[in-house]
Amino acid sequence: MEKVRLVPLLLGLLATACGAAVPEPSTPSLLASSSYGGASSAFSAPSGPSIPSHGDTRGALVVRPDLACVPFVLRVELADPKAGLDLLEKATLALKERFGASTGGAATIAMLGANTTAAPAYTKVKDDKPPPAHFVVTVDGAVEVPLAAEAGYWARAKLVAGLVEASRKEDALVPSGGEGAPELEVAFGAPELKLRDPESHRAELVKRWVERARAFARVAESQTAPLHLVACEPPNAITQTPISLEQVGLALPVSCRIDVSSLPR
């Protein structure tokens, strides 16, 4: 038997551009942030649609997302952990086929974390012998679908709809082994649209930050006390903020101090 859930997923920006390793194997939770989460509205009925909140923080640079992804986690408990990994591998291949059918074969699978832990023992057997060992095996990853640059709003909306539909299918990923067979648990996050390689925009983000900092310095400085950038730390990783189906905001956190330059003696 297989359980399918659509639950929130804790997300980090990793090299695969979507999804993060699940730190707690006993809780298969995925976190997906979506710009369509829905904000409360005083003008809509409780049972009616609410106006989505797209956020006010747009970032220093707004670009078109080129990747759609759906985070997922698979978990099974059984006596042989290697057999569990074999089962989860088959389920992952089935996931690729399922999402491929809804995306014209464009879906790929990016695997992230894997975890095997001993399951707690709940019962005792005869003669007070310890129960046979069981293990909880968990893997997680993301379904990834590239977004064509020319794909407009409606094409992207249909793709997202197909991803949601595929994540809600009830049919089993792998054939049931009958009564007593291990139970496969599946959880999906909501589709996310983002940029696969935000680092390609680092030079432009640095340029824009320097221009804004220099503009501020020119306004704030006096003729006798010119201001300059001093004590700059290395820039951090680029952050992404989803805005819409066709926009994602990029920002580059930079830590510098603007101070009066030293005057020659």
Side-chain angles (χ1 to χ4, degrees):
M1 186 177 181
E2 177 181 317
K3 289 184 179 179
V4 180
R5 302 188 226 175
L6 185 66
V7 293
L9 166 80
L10 251 144
L11 190 23
L13 296 176
L14 301 184
T16 55
C18 178
V22 179
E24 178 53 58
S26 63
T27 307
S29 68
L30 302 172
L31 170 151
S33 61
S34 172
S35 56
Y36 298 91
S40 59
S41 171
F43 301 99
S44 61
S47 60
S50 58
I51 304 299
S53 174
H54 295 281
D56 296 327
T57 304
R58 298 277 174 129
L61 181 63
V62 175
V63 298
R64 286 172 64 82
D66 59 9
L67 183 71
C69 52
V70 178
F72 67 84
V73 64
L74 305 172
R75 186 179 70 176
V76 68
E77 179 180 336
L78 73 181
D80 184 351
K82 293 182 180 179
L85 286 170
D86 289 339
L87 177 63
L88 296 182
E89 183 179 10
K90 292 178 182 178
T92 300
L93 294 175
L95 272 183
K96 182 179 179 181
E97 293 182 4
R98 176 183 295 183
F99 280 87
S102 65
T103 60
T108 60
I109 300 292
M111 297 306 299
L112 298 173
N115 205 323
T116 300
T117 59
Y122 298 105
T123 59
K124 291 184 178 181
V125 295
K126 295 181 180 179
D127 302 326
D128 292 329
K129 292 182 180 179
H134 269 233
F135 299 88
V136 176
V137 184
T138 307
V139 298
D140 66 282
V143 179
E144 297 185 344
V145 182
L147 295 171
E150 64 274 11
Y153 172 85
W154 292 109
R156 292 170 181 243
K158 290 176 182 178
L159 174 63
V160 170
L163 293 175
V164 173
E165 181 183 23
S167 68
R168 296 306 296 257
K169 287 184 178 295
E170 297 291 338
D171 53 312
L173 291 174
V174 293
S176 174
E179 186 177 354
E183 184 179 89
L184 175 64
E185 294 182 271
V186 187
F188 296 96
E192 303 162 13
L193 272 64
K194 56 181 59 180
L195 199 65
R196 183 185 291 275
D197 182 22
E199 288 296 323
S200 63
H201 296 276
R202 179 174 289 271
E204 178 63 24
L205 287 167
V206 171
K207 176 184 175 182
R208 294 189 180 204
W209 188 91
V210 171
E211 289 175 349
R212 290 197 304 272
R214 286 176 174 171
F216 170 79
R218 286 193 296 269
V219 173
E221 69 184 4
S222 66
Q223 291 184 352
T224 58
L227 298 177
H228 294 277
L229 295 175
V230 297
C232 287
E233 298 292 332
N236 294 321
I238 296 172
T239 61
Q240 300 192 50
T241 302
I243 299 171
S244 71
L245 289 173
E246 298 185 276
Q247 292 181 316
V248 60
L250 302 181
L252 178 63
V254 179
S255 178
C256 285
R257 188 162 54 90
I258 298 179
D259 205 346
V260 177
S261 60
S262 300
L263 296 177
R265 295 183 178 179

